[in-house]
Amino acid sequence: MLMLPIVLFLHGFFASGSCIPAQSLRESFRGEADVLSPDLPLHPEQSLRFIRQLCLDRRPAVIVGNSAGSFLAQQIAVELGIPALLGNPYFMMTEFLEPRRGQQKYKASRADGKQDFVIDQTLIDEFARLQEHQFDAVTPQQQERVVGLFGTHDTLAHFEPLFLQHYTHALHFPGAHTPTAEEVAEYYVPAARKLMILKRLCGMHSLFW
């Protein structure tokens, strides 16, 4: 039986594996690729361990992230040499978390049923440690494997200049921070598909965007 390639989607901070972008990816890649979209642990160091093991076990052809998911995707992609599409990456997560301290709720249902969580100093410090060194391992080879996708109406994250200090390939779409299902299908899917095709055809030696 032919095994389909795997697309790994990493959701944003308040989202879950059942969020609308994940659903749209799954529908768009139906019959072409299997989309994995797990609920990520709250703490980023635990998330990275979880994602790393998932990648080693399932060997995704591409990682697609959004927002905080892109923050995690960039680090794992560099470490393991996996192509990655970073949708509206939120590279400075401490800036996002500081004004949101206290009790919070996820905006999409999670498989374990837990919807409440707390943003505290411990969580902020953990993100701070990771973001300080998040680009340390970027190589010229990995610069060709990572693509940023930025919404022109994103009012939350403004990290394209930081992305371009470390990477070359930036794309844009006419959307906000969290893409709609239609925007995922129209912009995220073709970019992810191109990463998968170029990896298969030329080993990711170069990209032409």
Side-chain angles (χ1 to χ4, degrees), residues 16-92:
S16 75
S18 64
C19 63
I20 288 175
Q23 295 176 30
S24 181
L25 279 174
R26 189 169 288 112
E27 181 61 32
S28 296
F29 277 111
R30 189 179 302 278
E32 179 184 352
D34 287 331
V35 176
L36 300 182
S37 180
D39 291 346
L40 299 176
L42 174 64
H43 287 267
E45 291 173 351
Q46 185 182 357
S47 280
L48 287 174
R49 289 193 296 271
F50 171 78
I51 297 163
R52 181 182 299 111
Q53 191 59 54
L54 185 60
C55 288
L56 293 174
D57 291 342
R58 302 298 302 273
R59 302 198 176 275
V62 65
I63 302 174
V64 179
N66 198 68
S67 190
S70 292
F71 170 80
L72 299 169
Q74 190 274 145
Q75 296 175 67
I76 288 293
V78 168
E79 177 185 338
L80 300 181
I82 302 171
L85 177 66
L86 310 183
N88 288 328
Y90 213 112
F91 291 129
M92 306 303 289

Side-chain angles (χ1 to χ4, degrees), residues 65 70 84-89 91 143 145-151 159-160 163-164 167-173 188 191 195 207 209:
S70 292
L85 177 66
L86 310 183
N88 288 328
F91 291 129
Q143 286 177 331
R145 297 185 178 105
V146 174
V147 173
L149 181 57
F150 300 89
F159 296 109
E160 184 176 359
F163 174 86
L164 290 173
Y167 294 103
T168 303
H169 306 295
L171 306 175
H172 303 89
F173 72 101
Y188 280 62
L195 280 166
L207 285 170
W209 295 91

Side-chain angles (χ1 to χ4, degrees), residues 89-164:
Y90 213 112
F91 291 129
M92 306 303 289
M93 283 296 297
T94 54
E95 296 178 5
F96 176 85
L97 296 172
E98 282 285 359
R100 295 173 173 83
R101 288 172 177 262
Q103 192 76 23
Q104 300 289 344
K105 285 184 177 292
Y106 289 107
K107 296 179 180 178
S109 61
R110 291 173 66 89
D112 62 6
K114 295 180 180 179
Q115 294 302 119
D116 299 307
F117 64 95
V118 176
I119 297 174
D120 58 15
Q121 189 62 50
T122 299
L123 183 65
I124 293 171
D125 288 345
E126 192 174 317
F127 271 103
R129 289 194 297 272
L130 289 175
Q131 73 185 31
E132 182 180 1
H133 299 287
Q134 63 185 308
F135 300 112
D136 287 0
V138 176
T139 64
Q141 292 79 12
Q142 194 60 16
Q143 286 177 331
E144 294 296 324
R145 297 185 178 105
V146 174
V147 173
L149 181 57
F150 300 89
T152 56
H153 302 296
D154 185 353
T155 60
L156 188 61
H158 306 283
F159 296 109
E160 184 176 359
L162 180 56
F163 174 86
L164 290 173

